[in-house]
Amino acid sequence: MFTERFNPDVLAKMLDANSPSANEVSRLLQMDSLDVPELARLILASDNETSRLEVISAGNQRRESVWQKRLFLMPPLYISDGDPNREGCLDYCVYCPWRHGNVPADKLTRMNPDEVRREAAHLLQLGYGDIELVAATDPELLKGQNAARMVAATREAGAQNVGINFFPLKRSGDYRALADAGCTFAIVWQETYLADIYKKVHPRGPKANMQYRLEAHDRALQGGIKTAGVAFLGGLADWRFEALATLDHALYLRKEYGANIIFGMPRWKDGAGIPMHTAPAFYGDKEYEFVGALYSLAIPEALPWFSTREHFDLSARCAKGGGCMFTLDCSTEVGGYTKQGGFAQFPVYSRSFAQGVEWLKNLGYDPQIHLPW
Ligand code: SF4
């Protein structure tokens, strides 16, 4: 389990050092693979503008050599904003408009498998090939067989790759049922790897158990899922530490299970009715772009996924070289692709499949509708 080897003090100590010289940065960028202490040295180089740009350029080149400008399109399908009989999501994340009790009762929606099948069919008709299922912490989806039914419905609609991004299941056997139903990737954003901040932003609810979440990818991969998504939520804590911890986690999952890695890139944004109205920690565009490149330097075969919370121009710039996941159509309302009037989890940038593919091609990218694994 990752928790048995994860040592935040050791990571913090790596970052408590002088910045590397230009020679050291050049030497590191020529290496075929980088370990966690070496990645920490590159993070420390980010204060120097020349070094920062060198890291970004090297990351983009490394990515392009593996992926030749291919971008992998993935629409999210939001299937539940919580339990309609229990005031919605069971969690209280202070950064999220879907936190318990915040979504008006008449807007709470939980889709059944037939509705999921129809909504998935709509997305596939637009041109997509794969789908990510997203939900709040809904007690119905904590049962492995119910989650598997949603995956099966999406597969029946015709999706080739189906992934889940909701509260992690308890046992590797639950993930086995999901894998058997056709689930190919499991995403669990850790939000923060710092225990004190984690506690502050997840004051109550199932998600308050940090260890349970940190071990979720182990359970999923032991259960037969092949691809794992890791991420920190930018803006909650020092991005340097969070990026290094995310890399530590990803390198562990790759070494231990041979997992394919998706690096999520969400950043905190203000939303309706949430208690946290300013990001506690700075994480600007320059840092965001740097982290995406660093991920590709660490694992060139991994796919960073630039967030729909960001402007398309920033995402397109960050995706240079290809080898990234990208979202065009995006609604964070449950069933929001075919009907209006739901309660969005957060505001996003969205562009239609047809227009978005054209735009990406004009930028020199090669959009793909299926994940490569
Ligand atoms: S982030 Fe997820 S778990 Fe937390 S309140 Fe929002 S929907 Fe619920």
Side-chain angles (χ1 to χ4, degrees):
M1 289 286 176
F2 179 59
T3 48
E4 286 155 25
R5 63 175 300 289
F6 177 53
N7 191 330
D9 293 340
V10 168
L11 298 184
K13 213 163 173 195
M14 287 177 197
L15 294 171
D16 186 16
N18 293 334
S19 301
S21 65
N23 281 347
E24 186 181 350
V25 172
S26 303
R27 184 180 60 76
L28 289 168
L29 293 180
Q30 280 161 22
M31 290 171 69
D32 286 339
S33 66
L34 295 159
D35 60 17
V36 173
E38 288 159 347
L39 290 162
R41 299 297 296 152
L42 286 180
I43 289 176
L44 288 168
S46 65
D47 284 344
N48 179 304
E49 188 59 7
T50 308
S51 299
R52 187 185 74 82
L53 293 173
E54 276 174 9
V55 168
I56 291 174
S57 163
N60 294 345
Q61 280 170 27
R62 193 77 59 95
R63 216 188 268 150
E64 185 165 357
S65 69
V66 175
W67 297 106
Q68 292 95 34
K69 305 231 170 183
R70 278 180 289 160
L71 289 184
F72 300 91
L73 304 181
M74 180 67 68
L77 199 174
Y78 281 66
I79 61 173
S80 168
D81 48 16
D83 186 338
N85 303 313
R86 290 168 71 180
E87 294 185 64
C89 183
L90 300 186
D91 276 305
Y92 294 75
C93 314
V94 301
Y95 47 80
C96 178
W98 273 11
R99 68 197 304 271
H100 182 83
N102 194 50
V103 180
D106 62 340
K107 302 254 183 197
L108 285 169
T109 311
R110 172 194 281 154
M111 292 168 87
N112 63 35
D114 283 339
E115 290 166 328
V116 170
R117 197 178 295 108
R118 278 199 294 275
E119 194 80 358
H122 171 79
L123 283 169
L124 297 168
Q125 210 177 22
L126 295 178
Y128 296 103
D130 297 341
I131 290 178
E132 176 207 25
L133 300 178
V134 187
T137 308
D138 178 340
E140 282 301 302
L141 290 172
L142 304 186
K143 299 172 193 154
Q145 74 273 25
N146 287 349
R149 262 181 224 124
M150 300 304 188
V151 170
T154 313
R155 289 282 297 213
E156 282 156 24
Q160 184 168 303
N161 284 291
V162 180
I164 56 161
N165 184 351
F166 43 77
F167 192 77
L169 303 176
K170 210 170 186 171
R171 289 170 291 265
S172 53
D174 295 324
Y175 285 100
R176 175 71 56 198
L178 276 178
D180 289 347
C183 179
T184 56
F185 63 99
I187 284 176
V188 182
W189 304 149
Q190 185 56 34
E191 321 297 8
T192 174
Y193 285 85
L194 281 168
D196 54 339
I197 308 270
Y198 190 94
K199 205 169 165 193
K200 234 182 250 174
V201 298
H202 306 111
R204 297 162 65 190
K207 197 163 166 179
N209 184 341
M210 182 176 177
Q211 180 170 348
Y212 180 90
R213 198 167 183 86
L214 268 181
E215 293 176 350
H217 305 80
D218 288 277
R219 294 194 294 278
L221 294 163
Q222 286 165 5
I225 306 279
K226 304 277 187 245
T227 300
V230 293
F232 68 95
L233 176 60
L236 294 184
D238 178 9
W239 68 268
R240 295 171 188 82
F241 174 84
E242 301 281 34
L244 191 60
T246 307
L247 284 162
D248 189 27
H249 198 174
L251 287 167
Y252 160 82
L253 297 173
R254 197 146 172 84
K255 187 162 173 236
E256 195 70 17
Y257 303 101
N260 306 311
I261 300 294
I262 295 169
F263 282 110
M265 300 282 299
R267 273 199 294 189
W268 176 86
K269 304 277 171 184
D270 200 3
I274 59 172
M276 196 171 99
H277 286 298
T278 42
F282 177 75
Y283 183 44
D285 289 359
K286 284 183 170 185
E287 292 73 18
Y288 184 79
E289 187 178 10
F290 177 86
V291 168
L294 195 67
Y295 286 163
S296 295
L297 276 176
I299 311 180
E301 301 77 18
L303 298 176
W305 189 356
F306 295 103
S307 173
T308 51
R309 302 179 192 202
E310 307 300 336
H311 194 281
F312 275 116
D313 291 343
L314 175 62
S315 296
R317 189 176 89 213
C318 291
K320 237 180 225 165
C324 302
M325 288 168 71
F326 213 91
T327 297
L328 295 169
D329 282 277
C330 186
S331 168
T332 63
E333 294 175 17
V334 177
Y337 294 108
T338 52
K339 63 175 172 25
Q340 308 291 311
F343 193 91
Q345 191 192 21
F346 48 82
V348 290
Y349 291 93
S350 179
R351 192 168 267 179
S352 77
F353 180 89
Q355 283 178 345
V357 164
E358 201 49 36
W359 169 70
L360 288 172
K361 283 183 177 168
N362 285 337
L363 291 175
Y365 291 113
D366 178 11
Q368 306 283 313
I369 61 165
H370 296 301
L371 282 176
W373 311 297

